[in-house]
Amino acid sequence: KGHPGQYEEKLVARPHFGALSKGDERVVWQGYIGMDALIVDEIKHLPKETQALLLEGIRTGTWTYLNDSIVEGEKPTYFTSNDWGEANGEIMEALADRIAVVIEEKALPPQLDFELADERVKKDLSRPDEAQQCIDELAKNNFQGFKTTLDSVRKTGLAKNDAEKVRTEIKSMKQTSNDTHYFLWGLASEINFSEQYGVKRARDAVSDHTHDKKYAGVKMARSMSPRPLMAAWQYAQGLAWLLGDKTVDVSHLQTIIPHVLAHRSKFSNDFKNSHTGDVRKDYQELHLAKTLVKEYFEGTYTNSVLKVKSAIEAIQKGQKINAKGADHPLVRQLDYWNQNMPQSNI
């Protein structure tokens, strides 16, 4: 659980004090590291230094303490956070950029049978006997024994082979047309491109250049790394698969991208102020992200990106074009890379 007092020994591992008193240096690993998925409650309550410890373990799949390391590999990781509370802080930017998507859990409907829900939680999630077996193994400083016990008591609704089959099916989902890539690439180019500064930098003021004001970049004070691009496509594939659609189209990306951007974005003051009085159903950042994507789709994507598809396709084939005649940032960026890095896979 997130708490300002958390430190490395509570989060990752600690020395085996009994062995240490005899001159034997051994590490006792925290058990949650060995779970199939990691859940960090109240992430904003953790100080930045502690978040950095989590970041390294999540990023590399390797946890290190003293001179010992344990390799767990990448695994699903979930963070929770309330928007209220005196101790609420912020998620460090590097960690936020590794969170693929964000969703908001809204208040439950009053007609819900809360007693039944409470009983189901106790029945399905509260398993004290099995938990005690795992805790006993950890008490013996037997991390591998803990994982073996965990495997023996695990209950899952999806067999391992079935889970792999689902992942394979999701990854195999193809796009309806190149328009899906153009939609994603166009938005990223608008956010990262600046006529005034060349590229978007966090320390630069929001551009007031007339050309830049036509694009989404002036609505955000932060650039867009490759991670949200990858997350947007992967989750769009997952959404299409879940809906039973045969291919991924722009509508899937429109649905997913706001959830990819909301927690990563630092929206410009002008954009926030222009939508302060909006009637909304989402928290402010998610509402702004949805608004940004909607305005992009109805504006420059429809009126600019789709009209320069032939120029984009020509550049992808390595052909030289007059980029000034195709003014959108995507064309200009692709043309730049084509001319300066001809061997790159555009």
Side-chain angles (χ1 to χ4, degrees):
K1 280 190 173 182
H3 188 276
Q6 289 278 21
Y7 52 92
E8 190 172 11
E9 282 71 22
K10 286 185 177 180
L11 199 69
V12 180
R14 65 170 176 80
H16 190 300
F17 298 114
L20 191 62
S21 66
K22 300 175 183 178
D24 181 14
E25 292 188 3
R26 281 155 51 190
V27 171
V28 178
W29 296 99
Q30 295 292 359
Y32 82 93
I33 290 174
M35 303 293 284
D36 292 343
L38 307 182
I39 301 175
V40 183
D41 194 27
E42 296 296 350
I43 180 63
K44 289 185 179 181
H45 286 192
L46 289 174
K48 297 294 178 64
E49 295 81 2
T50 310
Q51 290 185 31
L53 291 172
L54 279 173
L55 170 63
E56 189 61 20
I58 292 168
R59 184 181 69 84
T60 64
T62 300
W63 302 84
T64 301
Y65 182 74
L66 298 178
N67 290 325
D68 205 350
S69 295
I70 189 165
V71 180
E72 280 291 304
E74 292 185 67
K75 57 183 65 179
T77 305
Y78 304 89
F79 300 97
T80 73
S81 176
N82 285 311
D83 279 340
W84 50 268
E86 294 180 1
N88 244 0
E90 294 295 332
I91 302 176
M92 60 185 297
E93 291 185 17
L95 182 57
D97 197 39
R98 284 170 173 80
I99 299 173
V101 294
V102 63
I103 59 172
E104 181 182 26
E105 183 69 17
K106 296 182 171 69
L108 296 171
Q111 73 273 21
L112 183 70
D113 190 335
F114 292 103
E115 290 187 6
L116 177 61
D118 187 49
E119 288 300 319
R120 289 295 301 274
V121 167
K122 292 177 180 177
K123 177 182 177 182
D124 297 338
L125 300 180
S126 179
R127 299 168 59 195
D129 293 340
E130 290 91 339
Q132 189 61 53
Q133 292 178 46
C134 296
I135 292 170
D136 289 344
E137 293 299 326
L138 286 175
K140 300 174 189 175
N141 188 28
N142 185 0
F143 187 75
Q144 291 305 319
F146 158 75
K147 295 200 69 175
T148 300
T149 303
L150 189 64
D151 287 336
S152 69
V153 302
R154 179 185 287 109
K155 294 179 181 177
T156 178
L158 195 62
K160 184 175 182 181
N161 290 341
D162 291 334
E164 289 298 329
K165 182 174 180 290
V166 168
R167 292 190 190 98
T168 300
E169 289 178 359
I170 289 175
K171 287 182 179 179
S172 67
M173 294 292 295
K174 305 298 183 182
Q175 58 186 358
T176 303
S177 69
N178 285 334
D179 289 1
T180 51
H181 280 332
Y182 299 156
F183 183 85
L184 192 56
W185 296 349
L187 180 60
S189 294
E190 288 192 17
I191 291 173
N192 291 339
F193 173 82
S194 172
E195 186 72 32
Q196 185 163 349
Y197 305 116
V199 295
K200 179 73 68 63
R201 302 178 187 86
R203 62 179 178 273
D204 289 333
V206 176
S207 173
D208 60 1
H209 195 284
T210 303
H211 184 277
D212 290 336
K213 289 182 179 180
K214 296 188 293 184
Y215 302 115
V218 296
K219 300 171 185 178
M220 293 175 58
R222 191 172 293 154
S223 61
M224 189 175 178
S225 80
R227 291 189 186 90
L229 292 174
M230 293 186 290
W233 177 248
Q234 291 166 355
Y235 276 79
Q237 285 180 302
L239 178 60
W241 178 89
L242 187 65
L243 294 174
D245 296 332
K246 294 181 179 180
T247 56
V248 183
D249 61 31
V250 170
S251 67
H252 299 116
L253 284 169
Q254 283 181 275
T255 301
I256 289 297
I257 289 176
H259 298 275
V260 170
L261 290 181
H263 59 292
R264 291 179 166 97
S265 304
K266 182 179 180 183
F267 296 102
S268 66
N269 289 332
D270 286 345
F271 184 57
K272 285 193 292 186
N273 292 338
S274 66
H275 293 283
T276 299
D278 287 1
V279 176
R280 54 184 170 90
K281 297 180 180 179
D282 304 292
Y283 70 97
Q284 185 184 33
E285 288 76 14
L286 183 56
H287 172 72
L288 290 173
K290 288 184 176 181
T291 302
L292 182 148
V293 172
K294 182 175 183 292
E295 291 178 354
Y296 163 70
F297 174 76
E298 295 176 351
T300 52
Y301 172 70
T302 300
N303 299 319
S304 297
V305 176
L306 291 181
K307 293 181 179 180
V308 295
K309 287 197 295 184
S310 59
I312 297 171
E313 291 167 357
I315 292 172
Q316 287 182 287
K317 295 176 182 177
Q319 300 173 11
K320 302 296 183 181
I321 69 161
N322 179 10
K324 292 182 179 179
D327 196 40
H328 192 272
L330 175 57
V331 175
R332 299 175 70 176
Q333 281 193 322
L334 288 176
D335 187 55
Y336 171 83
W337 283 103
N338 191 39
Q339 292 187 46
N340 291 276
M341 296 185 69
Q343 302 303 315
S344 68
N345 180 17
I346 301 176

